[in-house]
Amino acid sequence: MTARTPARALVHAPGEALDVQSYDFESPELITGEDRDRLDAALESWGRQLGMQITAKTRAVVDVATTASRVQSFGAYIASAEGPTLWATARFGSGRALYRIPLAEASYWAARMLGAAGDRAGLATGISGVERGLARAAAAEHLAELQPATNGLLPLPSLKAFGAEPPASVDRDAQAVVVVIGTLRKGERRQLALALEVDVVLERLGAVAPRQDAAEVTHRIGGHLAMAPVEVALRFAPTRVGPDTVLDLAAGDLIPLAHLADRPLVITLDGQPVLSAAVGGNGDRLACVVVDSNGDLR
């Protein structure tokens, strides 16, 4: 037999209206609770960093809003792109990241970086080689901010490819963590988006210190214990007295101790008996002499 913890369920009142949410099988709940909040806070920080970067590069104030992350397939992520899009493919730890930039947004960045107003960039159906190079450099800078902006929660992606089509080598059935970053400038809203392979994100969320050798752990704990300050005291055997004795005490009264004269005293370490000792001296200072570490310390 195995011990089982009884399951508990919330019992609702008869006729009570329930807020039931349908389960989205295209966006499975692989990340829940505190891990979800932790991840979203990190990605929101990255989104703010992107807003500052784009503002600095284009000299145009950009407001940034980051949506809550969701899990979906790479195929669904790619299909959700609206209009012409540039795709930055990067290695992300042991997995892959796919960064999506609307072509009109990349064209605007390039125009502003080249000194133009960029007002007609949204009408572009294609970009030149120079514009593509500038957009690629911007994408690499954005991805490079992922690790520091998330305080090391997510690894540093390494840009491998950049083009107008998503790489054919991406497994479109694989699950990814997707975050959408909305940019608002002069009333025009566009969306950048990032998809991170879910296995890498889950691994990072549950990351723990690497396993250490048992001997090394024992050595380090011993080192900590050796350096830890402790309180050492020398005590007699306890003596029990009644309340009447305590209430009648006056200056000069003596309380006979129950400790026998030939019985060793006890050395305590933070209140715990560890050694037996006899009264001794060290010059003009009172001390004790350890006489036995295995005797009766009660």
Side-chain angles (χ1 to χ4, degrees), residues 24 35 67 84 94 99 111 120 123 161 171 174 179 187 212 224 236 244 247 257 277:
D24 186 357
D35 282 344
T67 65
S94 58
Y99 185 36
R120 299 183 56 82
L123 303 177
D171 181 2
V179 59
Q212 294 179 310
H224 286 299
F236 295 89
D244 55 339
L247 293 174
L257 300 180

Side-chain angles (χ1 to χ4, degrees), residues 187-211:
E188 186 173 8
R189 186 178 298 279
R190 296 194 179 104
Q191 290 185 344
L192 312 176
L194 177 68
L196 309 168
E197 193 163 314
V198 71
D199 288 343
V200 179
V201 176
L202 291 173
E203 179 183 343
R204 301 292 293 196
L205 287 172
V208 295
R211 186 178 181 85

Side-chain angles (χ1 to χ4, degrees), residues 92-151:
F92 176 69
S94 58
R96 207 172 249 194
L98 198 55
Y99 185 36
R100 188 176 77 200
I101 306 170
L103 181 64
E105 185 72 358
S107 178
Y108 178 86
W109 296 348
R112 294 289 298 181
M113 283 188 278
L114 292 173
D119 294 336
R120 299 183 56 82
L123 303 177
T125 57
I127 57 175
S128 66
V130 173
E131 291 175 322
R132 183 188 296 268
L134 291 172
R136 178 190 174 99
E141 290 179 358
H142 295 174
L143 293 172
E145 288 297 329
L146 189 63
Q147 185 182 49
T150 61
N151 198 25

